[in-house]
Amino acid sequence: MNRFYEFLRRHPTWVDGFWGFVLLGPGAIWVIVEAGERPRPGLWVAGAVLTVLALTLVVTVRRRWPRQMLLLSTAVGLFQLLADVPPNPGNLAFLIIIYTVASRTTRWASRYALAAALLAPTVAAARWAEQTPGGSLAATVLDTVLVTVTFLLAWVLGDSLRTRRAYYAELEERAARLERERETRSRMAVAAERARIARELHDVVAHNVSVMVVQADGAAYVLDSAPDQARNALHTISGTGRQALAEMRRLLGVLRTGETPPAGTGAYVPQPGVEQLAELIDQARDAGLPVDFRIEGTPRPLPSGVELTAYRIVQEALTNTRKHGGPQAGATVRLAYSGDLLTVRAEDDGRGAGRELYDARGADGLGHGLIGMRERVGMVGGALEAGPRPGGGFRISATLPLNGDRCPS
């Protein structure tokens, strides 16, 4: 049964053609009956047959060419007035075409059909008043009102269908638009998450690997002369490697769905914050980098995003100092609490990175630490200043809001 309905929806002209054929039968019978009552039926029969055939055509192709069929039905109605072809069963096509045009989106055609629905019954009643059953004026007026109301109902039904179709089309468009927006938001979220993971991986790998390299070089240097010191360096390398692996598991775990982290592996440890800065500083000192770390002001609870940003800034700054500061470089780290702001300053007194490296935003191909740092600070509404400082070395200063506001650039 569903296939049959689907076939009918795909071939509306066939359906209309069937109803046109059904309408043709009563029209032909009416012509035969009327012709028997005419004294000279020849010319009149030709006009009546032409009228019935034209109205059958209107019904058959009304959905393919609704506006053209509206004009054709108007011409047929005028022809009926001139040729004295009174209302007949074929005039049911007028109701059908009015309904069809009103259900479409062409507004001028719908208004034209409404005007025709109001005027046509009155004109027909005036033209063939003597043929009204009962013959009285009251009967003529009553029949005219009933026919007019019927035509108006056909127009109202068609217009209601047009409104309902427009409403459904709007709902479908809105649903499609929401789906597109949802997909866009999903793609943006995926891109943002990938960028965040890339920054996290960069920080983890760059910091921990640099510590491991420094410790490995130191262990190799003192392996023969100070085996205990070399053994401590190897322990530091081992611990740093485990920490890096744990953080990488945690970061890569967000890319997996439906997995539960194994118990006791620490794969999903909390994000580091300012409380872990002391451990980070000690790790840098153990790697041979002198670091002066101070906290100014009164510490207070911080938003998780600000805590992670502060930690990563210090981590990246110390990593850059080890990579670019030279063998005798020393670093200074300051955390200053002031009102609704947290200022993170990290600087070194070594050779430092050149101004051109900062201006190129990491375009040397060696890393994207400063780019990631600027993005992190921007995500929490902060402001970042970075570059060579007077007298040598490199300085990074970030101002982070604690109340969610955005710092002035």
Side-chain angles (χ1 to χ4, degrees):
M1 202 64 180
N2 291 334
R3 291 183 179 179
F4 177 70
Y5 290 148
E6 184 64 25
F7 174 81
L8 295 181
R9 283 192 292 269
R10 290 199 308 266
H11 303 87
T13 304
W14 289 24
V15 178
D16 294 338
F18 169 77
W19 291 114
F21 179 78
V22 170
L23 189 63
L24 180 63
I29 295 174
W30 176 83
V31 171
I32 295 173
V33 173
E34 280 292 315
E37 300 177 0
R38 300 278 174 168
R40 296 179 181 179
L43 186 59
W44 182 90
V45 168
V49 170
L50 180 62
T51 298
V52 172
L53 292 177
L55 293 176
T56 300
L57 178 64
V58 168
V59 174
T60 301
V61 295
R62 64 186 178 89
R63 281 192 272 191
R64 178 171 294 184
W65 299 303
R67 290 169 294 179
Q68 292 84 342
M69 292 304 101
L70 177 64
L71 298 178
L72 176 59
S73 62
T74 301
V76 171
L78 294 176
F79 177 78
Q80 285 187 251
L81 294 174
L82 297 176
D84 191 23
V85 179
N88 58 81
N91 291 138
L92 183 63
F94 293 148
L95 283 173
I96 297 175
I97 192 60
I98 287 175
Y99 165 81
T100 302
V101 171
S103 66
R104 300 305 176 93
T105 58
T106 307
R107 301 310 296 158
W108 72 263
S110 179
R111 296 188 183 99
Y112 180 91
L114 177 60
L118 292 172
L119 296 177
T122 302
V123 173
R127 175 66 175 83
W128 292 286
E130 69 281 356
Q131 298 185 16
T132 302
S136 65
L137 178 61
T140 301
V141 172
L142 180 60
D143 288 346
T144 303
V145 170
L146 291 176
V147 174
T148 302
V149 169
T150 304
F151 273 63
L152 288 177
L153 286 176
W155 185 89
V156 169
L157 289 176
D159 191 68
S160 299
L161 179 60
R162 177 193 62 80
T163 303
R164 189 161 59 252
R165 285 174 177 170
Y167 174 72
Y168 290 152
E170 176 65 22
L171 288 181
E172 292 176 356
E173 172 61 25
R174 184 178 303 177
R177 185 169 61 253
L178 290 176
E179 180 66 18
R180 290 193 298 269
E181 292 176 356
R182 186 188 66 81
E183 292 177 356
T184 300
R185 287 195 298 268
S186 298
R187 289 194 296 268
M188 293 175 62
V190 169
E193 183 66 12
R194 288 178 177 175
R196 186 189 70 82
I197 293 173
R199 290 194 298 269
E200 293 285 329
L201 285 175
H202 171 272
D203 294 340
V204 170
V205 173
H207 171 73
N208 291 292
V209 171
S210 64
V211 172
M212 294 166 66
V213 169
V214 170
Q215 293 289 339
D217 290 341
Y221 182 75
V222 300
L223 182 61
D224 296 328
S225 60
D228 292 338
Q229 189 175 351
R231 187 179 299 107
N232 291 335
L234 292 176
H235 284 306
T236 301
I237 293 173
S238 175
T240 303
R242 288 190 179 92
Q243 180 183 355
L245 287 175
E247 291 200 40
M248 291 180 66
R249 289 194 191 101
R250 175 181 58 80
L251 292 173
L252 296 177
V254 302
L255 299 178
R256 305 186 181 100
T257 58
E259 290 189 6
T260 303
T265 60
Y268 295 95
V269 296
Q271 295 275 19
V274 293
E275 294 182 357
Q276 285 74 39
L277 282 178
E279 300 177 8
L280 181 66
I281 299 299
D282 291 339
Q283 190 179 58
R285 290 169 178 166
D286 293 340
L289 176 66
V291 181
D292 180 15
F293 176 52
R294 296 181 186 178
I295 298 177
E296 301 174 356
T298 303
R300 71 197 70 174
L302 302 176
S304 59
V306 173
E307 282 208 61
L308 178 61
T309 300
Y311 181 90
R312 293 307 186 194
I313 289 174
V314 175
Q315 184 183 52
E316 180 65 27
L318 296 179
T319 300
N320 288 341
T321 298
R322 284 193 296 268
K323 291 170 61 178
H324 307 291
Q328 303 298 325
T332 300
V333 177
R334 295 287 185 270
L335 256 64
Y337 294 85
S338 175
D340 293 330
L341 297 176
L342 172 66
T343 301
V344 180
R345 175 174 293 184
E347 56 187 12
D348 63 67
D349 55 7
R351 184 174 68 253
R355 164 66 69 175
E356 65 277 3
L357 177 61
Y358 174 67
D359 291 340
R361 297 174 64 84
D364 63 341
L366 300 179
H368 300 277
L370 292 177
I371 296 177
M373 196 181 301
R374 180 174 294 277
E375 291 179 354
R376 285 184 183 280
V377 173
M379 288 174 61
V380 297
L384 177 70
E385 296 180 2
R389 69 172 193 167
F394 202 81
R395 174 182 295 157
I396 295 174
S397 179
T399 303
L400 310 176
L402 306 183
N403 55 3
D405 295 335
R406 183 168 291 276
C407 293
S409 301

